[in-house]
Amino acid sequence: MAHVLALALQQRSRQSQCVRPSPVPRAASSCVVTGARCSPKTPLMFLAAITATSELGLKVLFLSPSPVPSLPGPVQEALAKLSPEALKKMQFRYPGSLEELLHEVASLHESPSRGASPPSLVILDRMEHYLRPGRDGVLQQDRAAAAHISALLLDTAAFLTQKLEERGEAALSCQVIVAFDPEWEGRTSGDLTTADPILTIVDRYFPLRCTLSQDERCAPLQAAAKTEEVWQICFSRLGVTTPCSTNTEDSGLGQLWRLVVCQDGAMNFSVVSS
């Protein structure tokens, strides 16, 4: 959910920069996170999951095509600091194919009947893994698969929200965060402002987009020093790639954030002044 991402950014910014975080809106929205293949989307997904369990007490299901071989030091430290109760609220599943992913998500409908408390947050990392573009680019079957994944995730979240309400556990409705890399193998365009044929489909289902892009002003220095990467993180509505206004009533979501990833793996978050 977008406000969990905003809360994760605020918490890390407060720790590293002593910036007082803005209040996070109670309204929850499912969100798609995009960025180049080299962008730190996966660490951000982990930070969102950690924040959801530790700060909000939510049960989280983290879906990924495979275990992550390594994580930055700050993420590993945050995981190590989780209490046993918070750790129990995090579940990881690794469906390796589109069919396995769809089966995993569809099976969530059965969790309430088995007596298990359903998750309040479902995270899908590396969605592009489950799509197979053809030699000539994105085919109709790829668009259909993206729509199927998105629709099933949101339909399942709506079902689980109903079950949470019936159990008296609906402090927050069940929401979804999907991480997607719009840069298909074989494509040369890295401009995320152009209309990606898959992202335009995914945007129809998710009301908010979180975009990670490299700070162009720092690119020459980064290339010369090779000691750090600087990323900008912004939220936008309905697939619009311009940042939300900093005057928006969605406090936290309207901010433009900067993430500096150092060579030693350190991650420093800060709010970019308007």
Side-chain angles (χ1 to χ4, degrees):
M1 53 188 71
H3 84 287
V4 173
L5 284 169
L7 178 59
L9 294 172
Q10 289 173 351
Q11 291 291 327
R12 274 71 197 179
S13 176
R14 179 174 60 180
Q15 293 169 3
S16 60
Q17 302 287 340
C18 297
V19 176
R20 183 178 180 179
S22 303
V24 177
R26 292 184 179 180
S29 296
S30 292
C31 180
V32 56
V33 180
T34 69
R37 188 169 304 167
C38 60
S39 65
K41 295 189 297 298
T42 294
L44 189 59
M45 296 299 97
F46 271 87
L47 290 177
I50 293 169
T51 300
T53 57
S54 62
E55 300 293 331
L56 302 176
L58 302 181
K59 186 174 180 180
V60 178
L61 174 63
F62 196 107
L63 299 169
S64 179
S66 61
V68 180
S70 63
L71 287 168
V75 179
Q76 295 182 30
E77 293 173 5
L79 281 170
K81 291 179 181 179
L82 285 179
S83 66
E85 293 74 17
L87 284 172
K88 290 179 181 178
K89 294 180 180 293
M90 296 179 65
Q91 291 186 332
F92 293 87
R93 297 286 186 271
Y94 305 107
S97 65
L98 174 61
E99 291 73 20
E100 292 178 5
L101 172 65
L102 297 177
H103 179 268
E104 189 73 48
V105 176
S107 66
L108 291 175
H109 288 75
E110 303 173 1
S111 59
S113 63
R114 295 195 297 261
S117 178
S120 294
L121 175 60
V122 178
I123 295 176
L124 173 60
D125 192 27
R126 292 181 282 168
M127 178 183 180
E128 67 277 358
H129 173 87
Y130 301 101
L131 309 175
R132 292 290 184 267
R135 293 181 179 179
D136 298 327
V138 179
L139 304 178
Q140 183 60 35
Q141 64 187 31
D142 306 314
R143 298 186 180 94
H148 193 175
I149 293 172
S150 302
L152 182 59
L153 283 169
L154 295 183
D155 177 74
T156 299
F159 173 82
L160 295 181
T161 295
Q162 180 181 351
K163 295 304 177 183
L164 286 167
E165 292 174 351
E166 293 174 358
R167 298 168 64 104
E169 301 177 7
L172 288 172
S173 59
C174 180
Q175 298 291 331
V176 178
I177 300 177
V178 169
F180 173 69
D181 175 11
E183 293 184 300
W184 293 101
E185 183 177 357
R187 289 178 58 190
T188 57
S189 175
D191 185 1
L192 300 183
T193 63
T194 59
D196 181 274
I198 295 296
L199 190 55
T200 54
I201 298 295
V202 177
D203 278 337
R204 298 176 187 175
Y205 294 89
F206 293 90
L208 285 172
R209 186 200 293 182
C210 175
T211 303
L212 283 73
S213 57
Q214 283 196 294
D215 192 330
E216 297 297 334
R217 295 170 298 179
C218 301
L221 294 176
Q222 294 174 44
K226 297 182 180 179
T227 57
E228 63 181 30
E229 295 179 355
V230 182
W231 299 86
Q232 288 188 344
I233 305 173
C234 70
F235 294 88
S236 54
R237 295 186 179 279
L238 300 176
V240 180
T241 54
T242 53
C244 292
S245 168
T246 54
N247 294 324
T248 180
E249 58 188 28
D250 286 337
S251 183
L253 299 182
Q255 299 282 8
L256 179 63
W257 302 87
R258 175 174 292 162
L259 167 58
V260 179
V261 181
C262 302
Q263 192 175 33
D264 60 1
M267 301 172 67
N268 299 315
F269 295 89
S270 60
V271 177
V272 179
S273 300
S274 57

